[in-house]
Amino acid sequence: MSLLASPYVATPLLLVASNIMMTFAWYGHLKAPHWPLWVAVLVSWGIAFFEYWLAVPANRIGYGTFTGQQLKVMQEVITLSVFAVFSVMFLGEALRWTYFAAMACLVAAVIFIFLPVD
Protein backbone atom coordinates (compact mmCIF):
# COMPACT_ATOMS: atom_id res chain seq x y z
CA MET A 1 0.00 0.00 0.00
CA SER A 2 1.36 3.41 -0.89
CA LEU A 3 1.78 5.98 1.85
CA LEU A 4 -0.93 8.23 0.35
CA ALA A 5 -3.37 5.30 0.30
CA SER A 6 -2.95 4.87 4.05
CA PRO A 7 -5.92 6.16 6.05
CA TYR A 8 -3.42 7.71 8.47
CA VAL A 9 -2.17 9.98 5.65
CA ALA A 10 -5.08 10.25 3.21
CA THR A 11 -7.70 11.13 5.80
CA PRO A 12 -5.97 14.20 7.31
CA LEU A 13 -4.74 15.39 3.89
CA LEU A 14 -8.24 15.24 2.43
CA LEU A 15 -9.66 16.92 5.54
CA VAL A 16 -7.13 19.75 5.27
CA ALA A 17 -7.97 20.27 1.58
CA SER A 18 -11.70 20.17 2.26
CA ASN A 19 -11.35 22.61 5.16
CA ILE A 20 -9.42 25.06 3.04
CA MET A 21 -12.23 25.00 0.49
CA MET A 22 -14.97 25.22 3.10
CA THR A 23 -13.28 28.12 4.85
CA PHE A 24 -13.36 30.03 1.57
CA ALA A 25 -16.99 29.00 1.06
CA TRP A 26 -18.01 30.24 4.51
CA TYR A 27 -15.80 33.31 4.88
CA GLY A 28 -14.26 34.24 1.52
CA HIS A 29 -17.25 36.38 0.58
CA LEU A 30 -16.48 38.69 3.52
CA LYS A 31 -13.86 40.32 1.28
CA ALA A 32 -16.62 41.09 -1.26
CA PRO A 33 -19.25 42.97 0.78
CA HIS A 34 -20.50 44.59 -2.43
CA TRP A 35 -21.84 41.22 -3.67
CA PRO A 36 -25.57 40.76 -3.27
CA LEU A 37 -26.36 38.12 -0.65
CA TRP A 38 -27.72 35.71 -3.26
CA VAL A 39 -24.40 35.84 -5.16
CA ALA A 40 -22.42 35.15 -1.98
CA VAL A 41 -24.69 32.20 -1.17
CA LEU A 42 -24.46 30.73 -4.69
CA VAL A 43 -20.68 31.10 -4.80
CA SER A 44 -20.43 29.53 -1.34
CA TRP A 45 -22.66 26.63 -2.36
CA GLY A 46 -20.61 26.11 -5.50
CA ILE A 47 -17.42 25.85 -3.47
CA ALA A 48 -19.10 23.62 -0.88
CA PHE A 49 -20.25 21.20 -3.60
CA PHE A 50 -16.65 20.49 -4.54
CA GLU A 51 -15.55 20.50 -0.90
CA TYR A 52 -17.88 17.58 -0.23
CA TRP A 53 -15.97 15.59 -2.87
CA LEU A 54 -13.02 15.76 -0.45
CA ALA A 55 -14.72 15.59 2.96
CA VAL A 56 -16.94 12.58 2.27
CA PRO A 57 -14.10 10.41 0.93
CA ALA A 58 -11.87 11.54 3.82
CA ASN A 59 -14.41 10.27 6.33
CA ARG A 60 -15.11 7.06 4.41
CA ILE A 61 -11.40 6.30 4.09
CA GLY A 62 -10.73 7.13 7.73
CA TYR A 63 -13.70 5.38 9.31
CA GLY A 64 -12.64 2.03 10.69
CA THR A 65 -9.09 3.20 11.26
CA PHE A 66 -10.54 6.08 13.29
CA THR A 67 -13.83 6.19 15.14
CA GLY A 68 -16.49 8.70 14.15
CA GLN A 69 -15.66 10.68 17.28
CA GLN A 70 -11.97 10.75 16.41
CA LEU A 71 -12.75 11.89 12.86
CA LYS A 72 -14.92 14.72 14.18
CA VAL A 73 -12.35 15.99 16.69
CA MET A 74 -9.61 15.73 14.04
CA GLN A 75 -11.78 17.75 11.65
CA GLU A 76 -12.41 20.45 14.26
CA VAL A 77 -8.71 20.90 15.02
CA ILE A 78 -7.95 21.04 11.29
CA THR A 79 -10.75 23.58 10.83
CA LEU A 80 -9.39 25.93 13.50
CA SER A 81 -5.83 25.53 12.21
CA VAL A 82 -6.88 26.33 8.65
CA PHE A 83 -9.00 29.24 9.85
CA ALA A 84 -6.11 30.69 11.86
CA VAL A 85 -4.00 30.92 8.70
CA PHE A 86 -6.98 32.17 6.64
CA SER A 87 -7.94 34.88 9.13
CA VAL A 88 -4.40 36.25 9.20
CA MET A 89 -3.47 35.90 5.53
CA PHE A 90 -6.83 36.52 3.82
CA LEU A 91 -8.85 38.62 6.25
CA GLY A 92 -5.87 40.47 7.73
CA GLU A 93 -6.87 39.77 11.32
CA ALA A 94 -4.47 39.30 14.20
CA LEU A 95 -4.55 36.17 16.32
CA ARG A 96 -5.20 36.92 19.97
CA TRP A 97 -4.16 34.90 22.99
CA THR A 98 -7.75 33.69 23.34
CA TYR A 99 -7.50 31.92 19.99
CA PHE A 100 -4.43 30.05 21.20
CA ALA A 101 -6.17 29.19 24.48
CA ALA A 102 -9.11 27.77 22.52
CA MET A 103 -6.72 25.81 20.32
CA ALA A 104 -5.02 24.38 23.42
CA CYS A 105 -8.40 23.16 24.61
CA LEU A 106 -8.96 21.44 21.26
CA VAL A 107 -5.52 19.86 21.38
CA ALA A 108 -6.50 18.51 24.79
CA ALA A 109 -9.68 17.15 23.17
CA VAL A 110 -7.54 15.35 20.59
CA ILE A 111 -5.40 13.82 23.32
CA PHE A 112 -8.49 12.63 25.18
CA ILE A 113 -10.31 11.25 22.13
CA PHE A 114 -7.27 9.25 21.00
CA LEU A 115 -6.50 7.76 24.43
CA PRO A 116 -7.07 4.01 24.58
CA VAL A 117 -10.27 3.12 26.41
CA ASP A 118 -9.13 -0.27 27.65
Side-chain angles (χ1 to χ4, degrees):
M1 174 186 333
S2 90
L3 185 61
L4 287 178
S6 165
Y8 294 103
V9 176
T11 300
L13 285 179
L14 286 168
L15 287 175
V16 166
S18 75
N19 272 279
I20 290 168
M21 292 181 73
M22 199 52 136
T23 298
F24 275 96
W26 286 344
Y27 302 102
H29 61 85
L30 297 177
K31 293 290 269 190
H34 58 281
W35 288 359
L37 183 57
W38 67 270
V39 171
V41 169
L42 286 178
V43 168
S44 294
W45 278 352
I47 295 169
F49 173 80
F50 293 103
E51 180 270 341
Y52 270 66
W53 282 96
L54 299 171
V56 172
N59 288 306
R60 283 190 164 226
I61 291 167
Y63 190 66
T65 301
F66 304 107
T67 66
Q69 296 164 3
Q70 290 171 329
L71 286 168
K72 182 58 181 170
V73 170
M74 184 187 319
Q75 184 270 329
E76 292 300 333
V77 170
I78 290 169
T79 296
L80 275 183
S81 300
V82 166
F83 188 78
V85 173
F86 177 87
S87 68
V88 170
M89 297 191 69
F90 190 78
L91 297 177
E93 298 176 353
L95 292 179
R96 301 174 306 170
W97 73 268
T98 55
Y99 194 91
F100 293 105
M103 184 58 86
C105 291
L106 280 176
V107 169
V110 169
I111 291 167
F112 286 122
I113 202 71
F114 280 95
L115 284 175
V117 292
D118 298 354

